[in-house]
Amino acid sequence: QQQVKQSPQSLIVQKGGISIINCAYENTAFDYFPWYQQFPGKGPALLIAIRPDVSEKKEGRFTISFNKSAKQFSLHIMDSQPGDSATYFCAWSSYDKVIFGPGTSLSVIP
Amino acid sequence: EAGVVQSPRYKIIEKKQPVAFWCNPISGHNTLYWYRQNLGQGPELLIRYENEEAVDDSQLPKDRFSAERLKGVDSTLKIQPAELGDSAVYLCASSPGLAGVNSYEQYFGPGTRLTVT
């Protein structure tokens, strides 16, 4: 069964700083690598996703970088804001399922 | 457009009691998922429906868990009897297309937090 490893488990960043979350996967068969954001009491919400043939994708302050040879991908949140404080899950998506990482709890302090 | 609706939001039961969760997906979404999310972990798939057919229930503990999706719309997940280890958040999600097309585009409900005492 595919597993997704994620680090760090928790992260504290000052407002305006860059938040970086890293993930690693195992299998080579894949479709997309999505990221989800979850606020307390809410379900996860799709944030951004990248295809394996793309090395980087940017949407606003959120950027995914993908390193196929290292089997790693990361999320960068530029100019982090207190409203970004949430749990972030990287995931591996095949044609019929999504495997979630364990999550990173991000706290952005003023 | 209304999102995925789940009820109840919270449920506290004693062990060995039955419990049921209800999910109403986004209108027109063919695929429905039930996930279990333990504290501090990512969601784990329990069962996936395409319309009214359960196409992946390999991770559903069938000795105590059951699910149904009548008429390919609403779905119910049941646990009978509940055990202490079942305490978790049960999430329902739906996606617009059949599996094979952007399966990561899932829309989650707020979940039901189950506490078994």
Side-chain angles (χ1 to χ4, degrees):
Chain A
Q1 166 103 349
Q2 169 69 275
Q3 287 191 351
V4 179
K5 297 180 181 179
Q6 185 171 348
S7 63
Q9 184 176 359
S10 62
L11 181 62
I12 299 175
V13 174
Q14 282 209 313
K15 178 182 176 181
I18 303 174
S19 303
I20 302 175
I21 303 171
N22 299 301
C23 286
Y25 64 96
E26 296 178 348
N27 286 359
T28 56
F30 45 73
D31 189 358
Y32 282 82
F33 291 92
W35 287 84
Y36 297 83
Q37 179 188 56
Q38 185 176 29
F39 293 104
K42 305 290 186 181
L46 178 66
L47 190 62
I48 186 173
I50 193 169
R51 288 169 16 199
D53 58 345
V54 175
S55 61
E56 185 174 283
K57 181 175 181 179
K58 183 177 181 179
E59 288 188 2
R61 297 184 294 109
F62 300 89
T63 300
I64 303 179
S65 298
F66 183 75
N67 186 331
K68 185 176 180 179
S69 61
K71 296 186 178 180
Q72 294 177 345
F73 56 110
S74 61
L75 174 70
H76 289 63
I77 306 175
M78 311 300 289
D79 188 25
S80 298
Q81 299 296 313
D84 297 330
S85 298
T87 300
Y88 292 82
F89 296 96
C90 60
W92 172 93
S93 170
S94 70
Y95 72 97
D96 64 347
K97 66 178 59 177
V98 177
I99 305 296
F100 290 83
T104 295
S105 177
L106 171 65
S107 295
V108 181
I109 57 176
Chain B
E1 179 182 270
V4 175
V5 180
Q6 290 188 248
S7 68
R9 291 295 314 278
Y10 305 91
K11 190 74 176 179
I12 301 174
I13 62 171
E14 294 183 346
K15 62 181 180 181
K16 301 185 181 179
Q17 294 300 306
V19 65
F21 314 123
W22 174 80
C23 173
N24 180 242
I26 293 174
S27 178
H29 280 194
N30 298 319
T31 308
L32 183 145
Y33 310 80
W34 282 103
Y35 289 89
R36 177 168 58 189
Q37 185 175 25
N38 291 314
L39 187 64
Q41 298 182 22
E44 296 178 329
L45 181 68
L46 290 173
I47 189 168
R48 174 171 63 93
Y49 282 92
E50 290 183 12
N51 298 305
E52 65 275 8
E53 181 182 0
V55 295
D56 184 357
D57 63 356
S58 58
Q59 300 303 311
L60 189 72
K62 298 181 184 61
D63 57 335
R64 298 183 300 107
F65 286 65
S66 64
E68 61 181 7
R69 190 183 184 195
L70 299 177
K71 301 181 180 179
V73 182
D74 294 4
S75 178
T76 302
L77 178 68
K78 298 179 181 178
I79 307 175
Q80 183 171 10
E83 297 179 351
L84 294 177
D86 295 331
S87 295
V89 174
Y90 291 83
L91 294 163
C92 178
S94 68
S95 64
L98 295 177
V101 180
N102 294 334
S103 63
Y104 67 86
E105 290 187 20
Q106 299 181 21
Y107 298 82
F108 285 82
T112 297
R113 180 176 296 278
L114 173 67
T115 301
V116 182
T117 64

